[in-house]
Amino acid sequence: MNPNPTADAARLAFLLGELRLPTIKYLWPDIAVQSDKNGWPAARFLTALAEHEVADRERRRIERHLLDAHLPIGKSLDNFDFNAVPVISKAHITALATGNAWIETGANCLVFGPPGVGKSHLAAAIGRALIEAGYRVLFTRTTDLVQRLQIARQQLTLEAAITKLDRYHLIILDDISYVTKDQAETSVLFELISRRYEHRSILITANQAFGEWNKIFPDQAMTLAAVDRLVHHATILEMNVESYRRRTAIERKKATGGPNTRQSPKASS
Ligand code: ADP
Ligand code: MG
């Protein structure tokens, strides 16, 4: 067969497409030039191509998982000011953000504190770090997920919907305290908690400590059972500090010389 570089290149592009190797398809001509120039043996050339494909595949996977997680944008550990919450240890959060111990065993994390102290920010930042570490995460307002599960129950597909959520190593239920039992059938939330118990992790943020959770579940027995499962293997973070939102607003006003120092009322918790 006579060598025909143009035909080979066209055929190769087609074959790499069929094999779903987009990075090699895109990069091979440049790397081939480099390889020829440096006299690389074939194994070196092929390894370089394969490494690029694997690295890109990992990047694409993380991008896909970040999109699928619905994290609030711009909330990371890098832009979380730990000085504002001295009760929280940066080392502890960094350890949580690597996953390993708690995510692998399906343990939970419960984050309590009044509004504006950074609960959602911290939860989203941990979620982002976990995705970058290779885990799957879903961030959702608890009310949204409860609504979705209620619809699934009406359509008799609750079991399947909860099973589908198993693909997430961690579900972040933001603002559980906004769920109230008058929103009908909050027992779906209990079913989710039971299903994930000792199997898949949940991170919950809440303005109210357990004492108030009777408003969430249909009856006290279910509240107790839910709390019991959640805390059995859990890290509890209490962020009882001043609202970051309010503090920065006051500081901004001071910096711009506006009227400012009126004492804000204490946040209700
Ligand atoms: P919560 O969920 O407790 O009500 P948020 O996480 O929504 O509070 O925080 C309110 C706002 O203040 C957000 O814009 C968040 O990014 C910011 N914020 C809160 N705490 C911090 C912090 N320690 N460092 C940086 N930004 C923070
Ligand atoms: Mg919040």
Side-chain angles (χ1 to χ4, degrees):
M1 209 166 46
N2 288 332
N4 181 345
T6 314
D8 280 346
R11 176 100 185 118
L12 182 57
F14 168 77
L15 292 172
L16 291 171
E18 288 287 294
L19 290 169
R20 310 233 184 302
L21 297 168
T23 304
I24 295 183
K25 180 176 165 182
Y26 175 72
L27 281 183
W28 82 262
D30 284 350
I31 296 183
V33 169
Q34 203 180 342
S35 174
D36 288 347
K37 202 169 93 195
N38 297 313
W40 287 354
R44 171 94 190 267
F45 172 58
L46 283 172
T47 306
L49 288 177
E51 269 169 358
H52 279 291
E53 186 69 53
V54 167
D56 254 18
R57 193 169 281 187
E58 176 68 6
R59 235 187 332 268
R60 287 193 298 269
R61 195 171 61 85
I62 289 174
E63 262 170 33
R64 223 175 31 246
H65 292 174
L66 278 172
L67 266 181
D68 183 45
H70 296 103
L71 294 165
I73 31 180
K75 310 294 178 194
S76 69
L77 288 176
D78 290 339
N79 62 20
F80 188 79
D81 174 10
F82 283 92
N83 294 324
V85 238
V87 283
I88 300 288
S89 131
K90 185 173 181 179
H92 188 186
I93 300 300
T94 310
L96 284 177
T98 62
N100 308 340
W102 70 295
I103 297 290
E104 296 292 343
T105 57
N108 302 317
C109 181
L110 310 171
V111 186
F112 294 112
V117 294
K119 299 182 300 296
S120 301
H121 185 140
L122 196 62
I126 291 172
R128 176 174 300 274
L130 288 172
I131 293 171
E132 283 163 3
Y135 296 106
R136 303 228 26 205
V137 174
L138 175 69
F139 184 105
T140 173
R141 279 196 302 210
T142 317
T143 44
D144 290 348
L145 189 65
V146 165
Q147 238 175 40
R148 256 172 67 188
L149 294 178
Q150 281 169 352
I151 292 169
R153 161 164 283 171
Q154 284 155 15
Q155 297 172 342
L156 307 178
T157 55
L158 180 63
E159 182 64 26
I162 289 180
T163 302
K164 220 169 148 199
L165 293 170
D166 272 354
R167 74 177 187 274
Y168 298 108
H169 297 93
L170 174 69
I171 295 183
I172 300 174
L173 296 176
D174 197 30
D175 280 326
I176 197 171
S177 339
Y178 292 168
V179 175
T180 52
K181 56 188 165 197
D182 50 80
Q183 287 160 342
E185 296 199 46
T186 56
S187 58
V188 291
L189 186 57
F190 177 74
E191 290 185 34
L192 177 72
I193 291 167
S194 301
R195 167 60 174 264
R196 292 179 75 88
Y197 176 58
E198 293 189 323
H199 162 59
R200 288 287 197 219
S201 300
I202 297 180
L203 187 158
I204 282 176
T205 77
N207 291 336
Q208 289 160 333
F210 300 122
E212 301 293 319
W213 284 28
N214 265 324
K215 290 201 279 239
I216 301 175
F217 296 99
D219 58 57
Q220 195 173 6
M222 198 180 279
T223 307
L224 283 176
V227 171
D228 203 52
R229 281 166 178 72
L230 285 171
V231 300
H232 186 194
H233 310 282
T235 297
I236 298 184
L237 304 173
E238 302 218 37
M239 300 174 72
N240 288 319
V241 290
E242 201 200 344
S243 162
Y244 188 89
R245 220 185 259 132
R246 193 169 65 225
R247 222 189 58 188
T248 47
I250 291 171
E251 277 164 12
R252 212 173 310 124
K253 272 192 190 167
K254 273 188 192 156
T256 54
N260 62 63
T261 41
R262 191 167 57 88
Q263 196 67 41
S264 308
K266 273 255 175 291
S268 61
S269 58

